[in-house]
Amino acid sequence: IEDLCKIEGDLHSYTLEAKVNLAELLEEEGRFEEVNDFYFDHMRQLVNSLGESHPQTLKVAISFGASMFRQKKLEEAETIMIGALVSA
């Protein structure tokens, strides 16, 4: 991902998709703390760069919320998902 960021940039669609794919792989490996930190940082970057209602920001928010749901962190998942819906 670091090379992709250098070549395409942090906000290129390929880079953003690769970051989500990495988070999903980390989740499959049970590395939930890393996943949550990763999604949180990625969301902050997207909101600051693209805004809350940008489609890519919303896509990552939904992925983050779904990840929290799968981790049985229902209150956090609900907060993230509602935030995404309100921003849409």
mmCIF file of all heavy atoms in Angstrom, residues 22-74:
data_model
loop_
_atom_site.group_PDB
_atom_site.id
_atom_site.type_symbol
_atom_site.label_atom_id
_atom_site.label_comp_id
_atom_site.label_asym_id
_atom_site.label_seq_id
_atom_site.Cartn_x
_atom_site.Cartn_y
_atom_site.Cartn_z
ATOM 1 N N LEU A 22 -7.156 -4.456 2.810
ATOM 2 C CA LEU A 22 -6.222 -4.792 3.880
ATOM 3 C C LEU A 22 -6.951 -4.901 5.214
ATOM 4 O O LEU A 22 -6.721 -5.846 5.973
ATOM 5 C CB LEU A 22 -5.110 -3.747 3.974
ATOM 6 C CG LEU A 22 -4.130 -3.922 5.134
ATOM 7 C CD1 LEU A 22 -3.425 -5.273 5.071
ATOM 8 C CD2 LEU A 22 -3.120 -2.786 5.145
ATOM 9 N N ALA A 23 -7.841 -3.979 5.488
ATOM 10 C CA ALA A 23 -8.605 -4.026 6.742
ATOM 11 C C ALA A 23 -9.427 -5.308 6.818
ATOM 12 O O ALA A 23 -9.500 -5.949 7.875
ATOM 13 C CB ALA A 23 -9.501 -2.803 6.858
ATOM 14 N N GLU A 24 -10.029 -5.700 5.709
ATOM 15 C CA GLU A 24 -10.825 -6.933 5.696
ATOM 16 C C GLU A 24 -9.954 -8.158 5.938
ATOM 17 O O GLU A 24 -10.365 -9.091 6.638
ATOM 18 C CB GLU A 24 -11.594 -7.041 4.378
ATOM 19 C CG GLU A 24 -12.699 -6.003 4.272
ATOM 20 C CD GLU A 24 -13.365 -5.941 2.915
ATOM 21 O OE1 GLU A 24 -12.912 -6.648 1.974
ATOM 22 O OE2 GLU A 24 -14.331 -5.171 2.781
ATOM 23 N N LEU A 25 -8.747 -8.165 5.384
ATOM 24 C CA LEU A 25 -7.828 -9.286 5.625
ATOM 25 C C LEU A 25 -7.394 -9.337 7.088
ATOM 26 O O LEU A 25 -7.327 -10.417 7.686
ATOM 27 C CB LEU A 25 -6.602 -9.176 4.719
ATOM 28 C CG LEU A 25 -6.835 -9.455 3.236
ATOM 29 C CD1 LEU A 25 -5.587 -9.110 2.432
ATOM 30 C CD2 LEU A 25 -7.225 -10.903 3.023
ATOM 31 N N LEU A 26 -7.108 -8.184 7.650
ATOM 32 C CA LEU A 26 -6.735 -8.137 9.076
ATOM 33 C C LEU A 26 -7.867 -8.658 9.938
ATOM 34 O O LEU A 26 -7.644 -9.383 10.908
ATOM 35 C CB LEU A 26 -6.376 -6.706 9.488
ATOM 36 C CG LEU A 26 -5.095 -6.123 8.908
ATOM 37 C CD1 LEU A 26 -4.987 -4.635 9.225
ATOM 38 C CD2 LEU A 26 -3.871 -6.868 9.417
ATOM 39 N N GLU A 27 -9.088 -8.309 9.582
ATOM 40 C CA GLU A 27 -10.242 -8.789 10.342
ATOM 41 C C GLU A 27 -10.367 -10.306 10.245
ATOM 42 O O GLU A 27 -10.615 -10.982 11.245
ATOM 43 C CB GLU A 27 -11.521 -8.121 9.838
ATOM 44 C CG GLU A 27 -12.729 -8.516 10.649
ATOM 45 C CD GLU A 27 -13.998 -7.844 10.186
ATOM 46 O OE1 GLU A 27 -13.958 -6.941 9.326
ATOM 47 O OE2 GLU A 27 -15.053 -8.241 10.690
ATOM 48 N N GLU A 28 -10.179 -10.843 9.048
ATOM 49 C CA GLU A 28 -10.250 -12.295 8.873
ATOM 50 C C GLU A 28 -9.211 -13.017 9.724
ATOM 51 O O GLU A 28 -9.433 -14.143 10.166
ATOM 52 C CB GLU A 28 -10.064 -12.662 7.399
ATOM 53 C CG GLU A 28 -11.267 -12.359 6.548
ATOM 54 C CD GLU A 28 -11.051 -12.728 5.090
ATOM 55 O OE1 GLU A 28 -10.156 -13.551 4.797
ATOM 56 O OE2 GLU A 28 -11.782 -12.192 4.244
ATOM 57 N N GLU A 29 -8.080 -12.372 9.956
ATOM 58 C CA GLU A 29 -7.024 -12.953 10.788
ATOM 59 C C GLU A 29 -7.285 -12.730 12.276
ATOM 60 O O GLU A 29 -6.496 -13.182 13.112
ATOM 61 C CB GLU A 29 -5.669 -12.352 10.411
ATOM 62 C CG GLU A 29 -5.193 -12.751 9.040
ATOM 63 C CD GLU A 29 -3.860 -12.130 8.670
ATOM 64 O OE1 GLU A 29 -3.352 -11.262 9.415
ATOM 65 O OE2 GLU A 29 -3.313 -12.521 7.627
ATOM 66 N N GLY A 30 -8.360 -12.030 12.602
ATOM 67 C CA GLY A 30 -8.697 -11.792 14.002
ATOM 68 C C GLY A 30 -7.897 -10.671 14.645
ATOM 69 O O GLY A 30 -7.857 -10.571 15.868
ATOM 70 N N ARG A 31 -7.307 -9.830 13.843
ATOM 71 C CA ARG A 31 -6.477 -8.731 14.362
ATOM 72 C C ARG A 31 -7.344 -7.476 14.512
ATOM 73 O O ARG A 31 -7.155 -6.460 13.860
ATOM 74 C CB ARG A 31 -5.301 -8.511 13.422
ATOM 75 C CG ARG A 31 -4.389 -9.744 13.377
ATOM 76 C CD ARG A 31 -3.455 -9.789 12.213
ATOM 77 N NE ARG A 31 -2.542 -8.664 12.169
ATOM 78 C CZ ARG A 31 -1.624 -8.514 11.220
ATOM 79 N NH1 ARG A 31 -1.493 -9.421 10.270
ATOM 80 N NH2 ARG A 31 -0.832 -7.470 11.215
ATOM 81 N N PHE A 32 -8.330 -7.584 15.429
ATOM 82 C CA PHE A 32 -9.382 -6.591 15.530
ATOM 83 C C PHE A 32 -8.890 -5.220 15.993
ATOM 84 O O PHE A 32 -9.385 -4.199 15.512
ATOM 85 C CB PHE A 32 -10.503 -7.093 16.448
ATOM 86 C CG PHE A 32 -11.130 -8.357 15.948
ATOM 87 C CD1 PHE A 32 -11.075 -9.510 16.703
ATOM 88 C CD2 PHE A 32 -11.750 -8.399 14.716
ATOM 89 C CE1 PHE A 32 -11.643 -10.687 16.238
ATOM 90 C CE2 PHE A 32 -12.316 -9.572 14.237
ATOM 91 C CZ PHE A 32 -12.265 -10.711 15.008
ATOM 92 N N GLU A 33 -7.954 -5.174 16.896
ATOM 93 C CA GLU A 33 -7.458 -3.877 17.355
ATOM 94 C C GLU A 33 -6.806 -3.122 16.193
ATOM 95 O O GLU A 33 -7.030 -1.926 16.007
ATOM 96 C CB GLU A 33 -6.458 -4.050 18.498
ATOM 97 C CG GLU A 33 -6.062 -2.721 19.126
ATOM 98 C CD GLU A 33 -5.225 -2.910 20.369
ATOM 99 O OE1 GLU A 33 -5.498 -3.833 21.162
ATOM 100 O OE2 GLU A 33 -4.293 -2.119 20.533
ATOM 101 N N GLU A 34 -6.029 -3.838 15.398
ATOM 102 C CA GLU A 34 -5.398 -3.223 14.227
ATOM 103 C C GLU A 34 -6.446 -2.766 13.217
ATOM 104 O O GLU A 34 -6.320 -1.687 12.621
ATOM 105 C CB GLU A 34 -4.448 -4.199 13.546
ATOM 106 C CG GLU A 34 -3.175 -4.476 14.313
ATOM 107 C CD GLU A 34 -2.328 -5.495 13.599
ATOM 108 O OE1 GLU A 34 -1.697 -5.137 12.584
ATOM 109 O OE2 GLU A 34 -2.314 -6.660 14.059
ATOM 110 N N VAL A 35 -7.472 -3.588 13.033
ATOM 111 C CA VAL A 35 -8.542 -3.249 12.094
ATOM 112 C C VAL A 35 -9.230 -1.965 12.530
ATOM 113 O O VAL A 35 -9.434 -1.046 11.736
ATOM 114 C CB VAL A 35 -9.577 -4.393 12.001
ATOM 115 C CG1 VAL A 35 -10.809 -3.961 11.232
ATOM 116 C CG2 VAL A 35 -8.964 -5.625 11.372
ATOM 117 N N ASN A 36 -9.577 -1.901 13.793
ATOM 118 C CA ASN A 36 -10.299 -0.735 14.295
ATOM 119 C C ASN A 36 -9.447 0.528 14.196
ATOM 120 O O ASN A 36 -9.944 1.582 13.776
ATOM 121 C CB ASN A 36 -10.765 -0.969 15.729
ATOM 122 C CG ASN A 36 -11.749 -2.114 15.821
ATOM 123 O OD1 ASN A 36 -12.359 -2.515 14.836
ATOM 124 N ND2 ASN A 36 -11.891 -2.664 17.002
ATOM 125 N N ASP A 37 -8.178 0.427 14.561
ATOM 126 C CA ASP A 37 -7.278 1.578 14.442
ATOM 127 C C ASP A 37 -7.137 1.997 12.974
ATOM 128 O O ASP A 37 -7.146 3.184 12.654
ATOM 129 C CB ASP A 37 -5.894 1.255 15.014
ATOM 130 C CG ASP A 37 -5.891 1.116 16.523
ATOM 131 O OD1 ASP A 37 -6.865 1.555 17.176
ATOM 132 O OD2 ASP A 37 -4.907 0.561 17.058
ATOM 133 N N PHE A 38 -7.006 1.002 12.115
ATOM 134 C CA PHE A 38 -6.838 1.266 10.688
ATOM 135 C C PHE A 38 -8.058 1.995 10.122
ATOM 136 O O PHE A 38 -7.931 3.026 9.460
ATOM 137 C CB PHE A 38 -6.607 -0.051 9.955
ATOM 138 C CG PHE A 38 -6.291 0.118 8.502
ATOM 139 C CD1 PHE A 38 -4.997 0.374 8.087
ATOM 140 C CD2 PHE A 38 -7.284 0.019 7.546
ATOM 141 C CE1 PHE A 38 -4.699 0.536 6.740
ATOM 142 C CE2 PHE A 38 -7.001 0.180 6.205
ATOM 143 C CZ PHE A 38 -5.699 0.436 5.813
ATOM 144 N N TYR A 39 -9.249 1.445 10.396
ATOM 145 C CA TYR A 39 -10.469 2.074 9.891
ATOM 146 C C TYR A 39 -10.633 3.482 10.462
ATOM 147 O O TYR A 39 -11.010 4.410 9.753
ATOM 148 C CB TYR A 39 -11.702 1.245 10.241
ATOM 149 C CG TYR A 39 -12.098 0.235 9.190
ATOM 150 C CD1 TYR A 39 -12.252 -1.097 9.525
ATOM 151 C CD2 TYR A 39 -12.355 0.601 7.875
ATOM 152 C CE1 TYR A 39 -12.639 -2.042 8.579
ATOM 153 C CE2 TYR A 39 -12.744 -0.321 6.919
ATOM 154 C CZ TYR A 39 -12.886 -1.643 7.287
ATOM 155 O OH TYR A 39 -13.267 -2.564 6.342
ATOM 156 N N PHE A 40 -10.358 3.649 11.754
ATOM 157 C CA PHE A 40 -10.504 4.961 12.382
ATOM 158 C C PHE A 40 -9.599 5.982 11.701
ATOM 159 O O PHE A 40 -10.042 7.086 11.342
ATOM 160 C CB PHE A 40 -10.203 4.874 13.880
ATOM 161 C CG PHE A 40 -10.438 6.163 14.597
ATOM 162 C CD1 PHE A 40 -11.712 6.548 14.967
ATOM 163 C CD2 PHE A 40 -9.372 7.001 14.894
ATOM 164 C CE1 PHE A 40 -11.938 7.748 15.617
ATOM 165 C CE2 PHE A 40 -9.579 8.209 15.544
ATOM 166 C CZ PHE A 40 -10.865 8.582 15.911
ATOM 167 N N ASP A 41 -8.342 5.623 11.506
ATOM 168 C CA ASP A 41 -7.398 6.536 10.859
ATOM 169 C C ASP A 41 -7.806 6.816 9.407
ATOM 170 O O ASP A 41 -7.735 7.952 8.939
ATOM 171 C CB ASP A 41 -5.977 5.975 10.893
ATOM 172 C CG ASP A 41 -5.382 5.958 12.286
ATOM 173 O OD1 ASP A 41 -5.886 6.689 13.168
ATOM 174 O OD2 ASP A 41 -4.408 5.204 12.496
ATOM 175 N N HIS A 42 -8.228 5.777 8.717
ATOM 176 C CA HIS A 42 -8.638 5.913 7.318
ATOM 177 C C HIS A 42 -9.868 6.822 7.213
ATOM 178 O O HIS A 42 -9.929 7.700 6.345
ATOM 179 C CB HIS A 42 -8.925 4.521 6.750
ATOM 180 C CG HIS A 42 -9.075 4.455 5.276
ATOM 181 N ND1 HIS A 42 -8.322 5.181 4.384
ATOM 182 C CD2 HIS A 42 -9.928 3.719 4.510
ATOM 183 C CE1 HIS A 42 -8.691 4.898 3.143
ATOM 184 N NE2 HIS A 42 -9.668 4.022 3.202
ATOM 185 N N MET A 43 -10.820 6.635 8.110
ATOM 186 C CA MET A 43 -12.015 7.483 8.117
ATOM 187 C C MET A 43 -11.650 8.942 8.372
ATOM 188 O O MET A 43 -12.168 9.842 7.704
ATOM 189 C CB MET A 43 -13.003 7.006 9.185
ATOM 190 C CG MET A 43 -13.809 5.793 8.810
ATOM 191 S SD MET A 43 -14.945 6.113 7.452
ATOM 192 C CE MET A 43 -15.859 7.484 8.082
ATOM 193 N N ARG A 44 -10.788 9.176 9.341
ATOM 194 C CA ARG A 44 -10.387 10.549 9.663
ATOM 195 C C ARG A 44 -9.748 11.217 8.443
ATOM 196 O O ARG A 44 -10.054 12.355 8.109
ATOM 197 C CB ARG A 44 -9.435 10.555 10.857
ATOM 198 C CG ARG A 44 -9.091 11.961 11.344
ATOM 199 C CD ARG A 44 -8.127 11.952 12.495
ATOM 200 N NE ARG A 44 -6.908 11.278 12.048
ATOM 201 C CZ ARG A 44 -6.187 10.484 12.797
ATOM 202 N NH1 ARG A 44 -6.506 10.263 14.035
ATOM 203 N NH2 ARG A 44 -5.093 9.920 12.322
ATOM 204 N N GLN A 45 -8.873 10.475 7.764
ATOM 205 C CA GLN A 45 -8.216 11.013 6.570
ATOM 206 C C GLN A 45 -9.242 11.337 5.480
ATOM 207 O O GLN A 45 -9.178 12.396 4.850
ATOM 208 C CB GLN A 45 -7.191 10.009 6.045
ATOM 209 C CG GLN A 45 -6.477 10.482 4.798
ATOM 210 C CD GLN A 45 -5.577 9.427 4.195
ATOM 211 O OE1 GLN A 45 -5.751 8.229 4.424
ATOM 212 N NE2 GLN A 45 -4.614 9.857 3.415
ATOM 213 N N LEU A 46 -10.191 10.447 5.269
ATOM 214 C CA LEU A 46 -11.192 10.669 4.231
ATOM 215 C C LEU A 46 -12.096 11.849 4.557
ATOM 216 O O LEU A 46 -12.391 12.672 3.688
ATOM 217 C CB LEU A 46 -12.032 9.411 4.016
ATOM 218 C CG LEU A 46 -11.317 8.241 3.356
ATOM 219 C CD1 LEU A 46 -12.198 7.012 3.365
ATOM 220 C CD2 LEU A 46 -10.914 8.596 1.941
ATOM 221 N N VAL A 47 -12.544 11.938 5.793
ATOM 222 C CA VAL A 47 -13.405 13.047 6.189
ATOM 223 C C VAL A 47 -12.666 14.372 6.014
ATOM 224 O O VAL A 47 -13.220 15.337 5.484
ATOM 225 C CB VAL A 47 -13.910 12.870 7.638
ATOM 226 C CG1 VAL A 47 -14.556 14.144 8.156
ATOM 227 C CG2 VAL A 47 -14.894 11.711 7.714
ATOM 228 N N ASN A 48 -11.410 14.425 6.443
ATOM 229 C CA ASN A 48 -10.633 15.653 6.326
ATOM 230 C C ASN A 48 -10.336 16.022 4.874
ATOM 231 O O ASN A 48 -10.270 17.203 4.536
ATOM 232 C CB ASN A 48 -9.316 15.547 7.098
ATOM 233 C CG ASN A 48 -9.519 15.545 8.590
ATOM 234 O OD1 ASN A 48 -10.514 16.035 9.101
ATOM 235 N ND2 ASN A 48 -8.569 14.979 9.304
ATOM 236 N N SER A 49 -10.166 15.020 4.012
ATOM 237 C CA SER A 49 -9.783 15.274 2.622
ATOM 238 C C SER A 49 -10.978 15.395 1.677
ATOM 239 O O SER A 49 -11.003 16.262 0.815
ATOM 240 C CB SER A 49 -8.877 14.159 2.115
ATOM 241 O OG SER A 49 -7.721 14.076 2.897
ATOM 242 N N LEU A 50 -11.929 14.494 1.833
ATOM 243 C CA LEU A 50 -13.036 14.418 0.875
ATOM 244 C C LEU A 50 -14.363 14.910 1.433
ATOM 245 O O LEU A 50 -15.272 15.220 0.668
ATOM 246 C CB LEU A 50 -13.203 12.973 0.391
ATOM 247 C CG LEU A 50 -11.987 12.338 -0.274
ATOM 248 C CD1 LEU A 50 -12.272 10.875 -0.596
ATOM 249 C CD2 LEU A 50 -11.598 13.102 -1.523
ATOM 250 N N GLY A 51 -14.498 14.910 2.748
ATOM 251 C CA GLY A 51 -15.756 15.310 3.379
ATOM 252 C C GLY A 51 -16.572 14.104 3.813
ATOM 253 O O GLY A 51 -16.372 12.989 3.342
ATOM 254 N N GLU A 52 -17.500 14.356 4.729
ATOM 255 C CA GLU A 52 -18.314 13.273 5.303
ATOM 256 C C GLU A 52 -19.260 12.623 4.309
ATOM 257 O O GLU A 52 -19.587 11.454 4.448
ATOM 258 C CB GLU A 52 -19.133 13.807 6.483
ATOM 259 C CG GLU A 52 -18.318 14.152 7.691
ATOM 260 C CD GLU A 52 -19.181 14.644 8.846
ATOM 261 O OE1 GLU A 52 -20.411 14.793 8.669
ATOM 262 O OE2 GLU A 52 -18.610 14.870 9.913
ATOM 263 N N SER A 53 -19.728 13.376 3.330
ATOM 264 C CA SER A 53 -20.742 12.836 2.428
ATOM 265 C C SER A 53 -20.179 12.315 1.103
ATOM 266 O O SER A 53 -20.938 11.909 0.228
ATOM 267 C CB SER A 53 -21.811 13.897 2.154
ATOM 268 O OG SER A 53 -21.224 15.023 1.532
ATOM 269 N N HIS A 54 -18.860 12.291 0.971
ATOM 270 C CA HIS A 54 -18.260 11.749 -0.259
ATOM 271 C C HIS A 54 -18.541 10.239 -0.332
ATOM 272 O O HIS A 54 -18.483 9.544 0.682
ATOM 273 C CB HIS A 54 -16.753 12.011 -0.258
ATOM 274 C CG HIS A 54 -16.098 11.694 -1.555
ATOM 275 N ND1 HIS A 54 -15.724 10.415 -1.904
ATOM 276 C CD2 HIS A 54 -15.762 12.486 -2.606
ATOM 277 C CE1 HIS A 54 -15.179 10.424 -3.103
ATOM 278 N NE2 HIS A 54 -15.187 11.676 -3.556
ATOM 279 N N PRO A 55 -18.853 9.725 -1.512
ATOM 280 C CA PRO A 55 -19.166 8.292 -1.643
ATOM 281 C C PRO A 55 -18.078 7.370 -1.089
ATOM 282 O O PRO A 55 -18.395 6.343 -0.475
ATOM 283 C CB PRO A 55 -19.334 8.097 -3.153
ATOM 284 C CG PRO A 55 -19.737 9.435 -3.664
ATOM 285 C CD PRO A 55 -19.028 10.433 -2.791
ATOM 286 N N GLN A 56 -16.818 7.716 -1.280
ATOM 287 C CA GLN A 56 -15.749 6.850 -0.767
ATOM 288 C C GLN A 56 -15.722 6.859 0.757
ATOM 289 O O GLN A 56 -15.516 5.830 1.391
ATOM 290 C CB GLN A 56 -14.396 7.283 -1.333
ATOM 291 C CG GLN A 56 -13.288 6.301 -1.044
ATOM 292 C CD GLN A 56 -13.504 4.951 -1.714
ATOM 293 O OE1 GLN A 56 -13.928 4.883 -2.861
ATOM 294 N NE2 GLN A 56 -13.232 3.874 -1.015
ATOM 295 N N THR A 57 -15.958 8.020 1.354
ATOM 296 C CA THR A 57 -16.019 8.113 2.818
ATOM 297 C C THR A 57 -17.163 7.267 3.344
ATOM 298 O O THR A 57 -17.003 6.530 4.325
ATOM 299 C CB THR A 57 -16.196 9.586 3.259
ATOM 300 O OG1 THR A 57 -15.153 10.381 2.696
ATOM 301 C CG2 THR A 57 -16.178 9.711 4.764
ATOM 302 N N LEU A 58 -18.309 7.356 2.697
ATOM 303 C CA LEU A 58 -19.477 6.582 3.124
ATOM 304 C C LEU A 58 -19.239 5.082 2.977
ATOM 305 O O LEU A 58 -19.615 4.292 3.851
ATOM 306 C CB LEU A 58 -20.711 7.011 2.334
ATOM 307 C CG LEU A 58 -21.143 8.461 2.543
ATOM 308 C CD1 LEU A 58 -22.253 8.824 1.577
ATOM 309 C CD2 LEU A 58 -21.558 8.705 3.986
ATOM 310 N N LYS A 59 -18.582 4.696 1.892
ATOM 311 C CA LYS A 59 -18.284 3.269 1.670
ATOM 312 C C LYS A 59 -17.395 2.720 2.790
ATOM 313 O O LYS A 59 -17.638 1.640 3.317
ATOM 314 C CB LYS A 59 -17.606 3.093 0.318
ATOM 315 C CG LYS A 59 -17.261 1.669 -0.016
ATOM 316 C CD LYS A 59 -16.592 1.567 -1.380
ATOM 317 C CE LYS A 59 -16.206 0.138 -1.675
ATOM 318 N NZ LYS A 59 -15.535 0.011 -2.970
ATOM 319 N N VAL A 60 -16.377 3.476 3.154
ATOM 320 C CA VAL A 60 -15.474 3.033 4.215
ATOM 321 C C VAL A 60 -16.202 3.033 5.558
ATOM 322 O O VAL A 60 -16.015 2.124 6.372
ATOM 323 C CB VAL A 60 -14.199 3.907 4.260
ATOM 324 C CG1 VAL A 60 -13.352 3.583 5.476
ATOM 325 C CG2 VAL A 60 -13.390 3.697 2.985
ATOM 326 N N ALA A 61 -17.068 4.014 5.788
ATOM 327 C CA ALA A 61 -17.833 4.051 7.039
ATOM 328 C C ALA A 61 -18.721 2.816 7.167
ATOM 329 O O ALA A 61 -18.793 2.209 8.240
ATOM 330 C CB ALA A 61 -18.675 5.327 7.113
ATOM 331 N N ILE A 62 -19.369 2.428 6.083
ATOM 332 C CA ILE A 62 -20.220 1.231 6.112
ATOM 333 C C ILE A 62 -19.368 -0.015 6.368
ATOM 334 O O ILE A 62 -19.752 -0.893 7.146
ATOM 335 C CB ILE A 62 -21.026 1.104 4.796
ATOM 336 C CG1 ILE A 62 -21.999 2.269 4.649
ATOM 337 C CG2 ILE A 62 -21.741 -0.232 4.719
ATOM 338 C CD1 ILE A 62 -23.049 2.375 5.733
ATOM 339 N N SER A 63 -18.215 -0.098 5.742
ATOM 340 C CA SER A 63 -17.314 -1.235 5.984
ATOM 341 C C SER A 63 -16.863 -1.277 7.437
ATOM 342 O O SER A 63 -16.803 -2.349 8.048
ATOM 343 C CB SER A 63 -16.089 -1.155 5.063
ATOM 344 O OG SER A 63 -16.451 -1.295 3.727
ATOM 345 N N PHE A 64 -16.537 -0.111 7.984
ATOM 346 C CA PHE A 64 -16.120 -0.014 9.386
ATOM 347 C C PHE A 64 -17.265 -0.441 10.303
ATOM 348 O O PHE A 64 -17.079 -1.239 11.229
ATOM 349 C CB PHE A 64 -15.677 1.417 9.676
ATOM 350 C CG PHE A 64 -15.049 1.639 11.024
ATOM 351 C CD1 PHE A 64 -14.572 0.613 11.810
ATOM 352 C CD2 PHE A 64 -14.912 2.940 11.500
ATOM 353 C CE1 PHE A 64 -13.973 0.855 13.049
ATOM 354 C CE2 PHE A 64 -14.328 3.192 12.733
ATOM 355 C CZ PHE A 64 -13.859 2.148 13.510
ATOM 356 N N GLY A 65 -18.454 0.061 10.045
ATOM 357 C CA GLY A 65 -19.609 -0.317 10.859
ATOM 358 C C GLY A 65 -19.894 -1.804 10.785
ATOM 359 O O GLY A 65 -20.189 -2.448 11.796
ATOM 360 N N ALA A 66 -19.792 -2.374 9.591
ATOM 361 C CA ALA A 66 -20.017 -3.817 9.432
ATOM 362 C C ALA A 66 -18.969 -4.617 10.197
ATOM 363 O O ALA A 66 -19.271 -5.646 10.815
ATOM 364 C CB ALA A 66 -20.005 -4.183 7.952
ATOM 365 N N SER A 67 -17.733 -4.137 10.179
ATOM 366 C CA SER A 67 -16.668 -4.802 10.927
ATOM 367 C C SER A 67 -16.967 -4.775 12.430
ATOM 368 O O SER A 67 -16.814 -5.783 13.117
ATOM 369 C CB SER A 67 -15.325 -4.126 10.645
ATOM 370 O OG SER A 67 -14.307 -4.683 11.435
ATOM 371 N N MET A 68 -17.407 -3.629 12.907
ATOM 372 C CA MET A 68 -17.743 -3.523 14.336
ATOM 373 C C MET A 68 -18.903 -4.460 14.684
ATOM 374 O O MET A 68 -18.912 -5.093 15.737
ATOM 375 C CB MET A 68 -18.090 -2.075 14.694
ATOM 376 C CG MET A 68 -16.929 -1.107 14.522
ATOM 377 S SD MET A 68 -15.489 -1.536 15.511
ATOM 378 C CE MET A 68 -15.893 -0.698 16.997
ATOM 379 N N PHE A 69 -19.877 -4.564 13.793
ATOM 380 C CA PHE A 69 -21.005 -5.465 13.999
ATOM 381 C C PHE A 69 -20.525 -6.909 14.098
ATOM 382 O O PHE A 69 -20.938 -7.652 14.989
ATOM 383 C CB PHE A 69 -22.017 -5.310 12.855
ATOM 384 C CG PHE A 69 -23.211 -6.198 12.988
ATOM 385 C CD1 PHE A 69 -24.260 -5.853 13.829
ATOM 386 C CD2 PHE A 69 -23.282 -7.382 12.280
ATOM 387 C CE1 PHE A 69 -25.366 -6.685 13.960
ATOM 388 C CE2 PHE A 69 -24.378 -8.218 12.403
ATOM 389 C CZ PHE A 69 -25.435 -7.862 13.244
ATOM 390 N N ARG A 70 -19.644 -7.313 13.192
ATOM 391 C CA ARG A 70 -19.121 -8.685 13.214
ATOM 392 C C ARG A 70 -18.314 -8.967 14.481
ATOM 393 O O ARG A 70 -18.207 -10.108 14.906
ATOM 394 C CB ARG A 70 -18.283 -8.958 11.969
ATOM 395 C CG ARG A 70 -19.109 -9.088 10.699
ATOM 396 C CD ARG A 70 -18.284 -9.537 9.523
ATOM 397 N NE ARG A 70 -17.294 -8.571 9.103
ATOM 398 C CZ ARG A 70 -17.509 -7.590 8.232
ATOM 399 N NH1 ARG A 70 -18.708 -7.426 7.687
ATOM 400 N NH2 ARG A 70 -16.533 -6.761 7.892
ATOM 401 N N GLN A 71 -17.760 -7.900 15.075
ATOM 402 C CA GLN A 71 -17.012 -8.044 16.323
ATOM 403 C C GLN A 71 -17.939 -8.000 17.545
ATOM 404 O O GLN A 71 -17.484 -8.035 18.672
ATOM 405 C CB GLN A 71 -15.972 -6.927 16.444
ATOM 406 C CG GLN A 71 -14.883 -6.986 15.408
ATOM 407 C CD GLN A 71 -13.975 -5.785 15.511
ATOM 408 O OE1 GLN A 71 -13.476 -5.467 16.585
ATOM 409 N NE2 GLN A 71 -13.755 -5.108 14.393
ATOM 410 N N LYS A 72 -19.236 -7.900 17.288
ATOM 411 C CA LYS A 72 -20.259 -7.831 18.345
ATOM 412 C C LYS A 72 -20.173 -6.524 19.136
ATOM 413 O O LYS A 72 -20.619 -6.447 20.271
ATOM 414 C CB LYS A 72 -20.171 -9.028 19.302
ATOM 415 C CG LYS A 72 -20.174 -10.382 18.637
ATOM 416 C CD LYS A 72 -21.491 -10.673 17.973
ATOM 417 C CE LYS A 72 -21.530 -12.113 17.492
ATOM 418 N NZ LYS A 72 -21.805 -12.240 16.092
ATOM 419 N N LYS A 73 -19.620 -5.489 18.531
ATOM 420 C CA LYS A 73 -19.580 -4.155 19.140
ATOM 421 C C LYS A 73 -20.757 -3.378 18.546
ATOM 422 O O LYS A 73 -20.602 -2.518 17.692
ATOM 423 C CB LYS A 73 -18.244 -3.477 18.862
ATOM 424 C CG LYS A 73 -17.078 -4.201 19.506
ATOM 425 C CD LYS A 73 -15.779 -3.479 19.278
ATOM 426 C CE LYS A 73 -14.647 -4.190 20.000
ATOM 427 N NZ LYS A 73 -13.382 -3.471 19.872
ATOM 428 N N LEU A 74 -21.937 -3.727 19.055
ATOM 429 C CA LEU A 74 -23.162 -3.269 18.422
ATOM 430 C C LEU A 74 -23.404 -1.775 18.571
ATOM 431 O O LEU A 74 -23.877 -1.127 17.634
ATOM 432 C CB LEU A 74 -24.342 -4.076 18.953
ATOM 433 C CG LEU A 74 -24.216 -5.597 18.764
ATOM 434 C CD1 LEU A 74 -25.445 -6.300 19.294
ATOM 435 C CD2 LEU A 74 -23.973 -5.948 17.311
#
